[in-house]
Amino acid sequence: MTRPCRATPCLFVLDARRAQTRAETRALKRAAEPRGRSAATSVTLDVDIETLWRAIQTPALLESVTRGLMRFDPVDPDGFPTVWDAREHRVDLRLFGWLPIGRQVIAIERPPAEGARRLLRDNGRGDVVSAWDHLMILEPAPGGRTRYTDLVRVEAGRLTLPVTALAWLYYALRQRNLRRLARSGAIA
């Protein structure tokens, strides 16, 4: 027997009472739970939602907020588009701008807006991670500001837990840089 789960992103919770052994119960739970781990971090920025929405859709902002931490070198000889288009973009990743850590696919999707809330998704993957499902959530905040949230689900086999912890740190540092850019008026 299944019933809808109220927690995102879980789709179903199995009624383990029907299982006859603890091993069966564990197997049923593993089958129902999404793989990987999730990390989320949020920040309220001194910029209106429409301005941030336009900026967040550009590779230029990605490069600005990750400078010194991560470098994304496009594999495509044409480089990045001016605005992310809904397709896969292959990149070589360089930690701290110089240390190669593998290839990644940035797979851009634009989920429908939910009222004033805006969503941008990178449903990517790479050499180290089999899934890097990153949802960027923009919501209006009081005073014409914007609440920005990075929510990522990571699957990386045995490395899932440490990669998820590093993802949380990466997004926290990225948001610090985003806040700095918003305060300086560089996001326009």
Side-chain angles (χ1 to χ4, degrees):
M1 175 177 185
T2 62
R3 62 178 186 251
C5 178
R6 290 183 177 88
T8 304
C10 180
L11 299 177
F12 296 99
V13 174
L14 294 172
D15 185 352
R17 290 174 288 181
R18 297 187 69 187
Q20 296 188 10
T21 68
R22 286 186 183 180
E24 286 177 347
T25 302
R26 284 192 302 273
L28 288 172
K29 284 182 75 175
R30 276 194 304 275
E33 293 172 354
R35 292 178 162 222
R37 299 272 181 174
S38 295
T41 183
S42 296
V43 64
T44 300
L45 301 168
D46 295 325
V47 63
D48 68 271
I49 193 168
E50 291 307 322
T51 301
L52 184 60
W53 176 241
R54 283 189 303 273
I56 210 80
Q57 296 181 76
T58 65
L61 184 67
L62 172 67
E63 292 170 343
S64 292
V65 297
T66 60
R67 186 168 290 126
L69 181 62
M70 188 74 68
R71 192 171 88 202
F72 301 85
D73 293 330
V75 173
D76 183 358
D78 294 334
F80 288 133
T82 306
V83 175
W84 289 117
D85 46 355
R87 66 178 176 93
E88 292 187 351
H89 305 270
R90 298 188 189 296
V91 297
D92 287 323
L93 293 177
R94 296 188 182 279
L95 186 63
F96 307 121
W98 60 270
L99 181 65
I101 57 172
R103 189 160 281 181
Q104 181 83 8
V105 173
I106 299 173
I108 299 296
E109 298 175 7
R110 286 192 174 77
E114 299 172 353
R117 186 177 179 184
R118 304 282 180 263
L119 305 169
L120 187 65
R121 182 179 185 198
D122 168 15
N123 193 11
R125 62 195 178 282
D127 292 343
V128 176
V129 296
S130 57
W132 185 275
D133 190 358
H134 175 212
L135 185 63
M136 293 155 269
I137 305 164
L138 289 71
E139 301 171 289
R145 300 168 73 199
T146 303
R147 178 137 179 101
Y148 173 80
T149 302
D150 285 304
L151 173 63
V152 66
R153 184 184 56 81
V154 176
E155 291 178 26
R158 293 178 186 205
L159 295 175
T160 297
L161 190 58
V163 170
T164 304
L166 289 172
W168 182 88
L169 178 62
Y170 166 77
Y171 286 118
L173 292 171
R174 193 174 107 140
Q175 286 182 8
R176 184 191 69 188
N177 292 340
L178 192 58
R179 179 184 292 161
R180 181 183 46 78
L181 289 171
R183 285 185 179 157
S184 72
I187 298 176

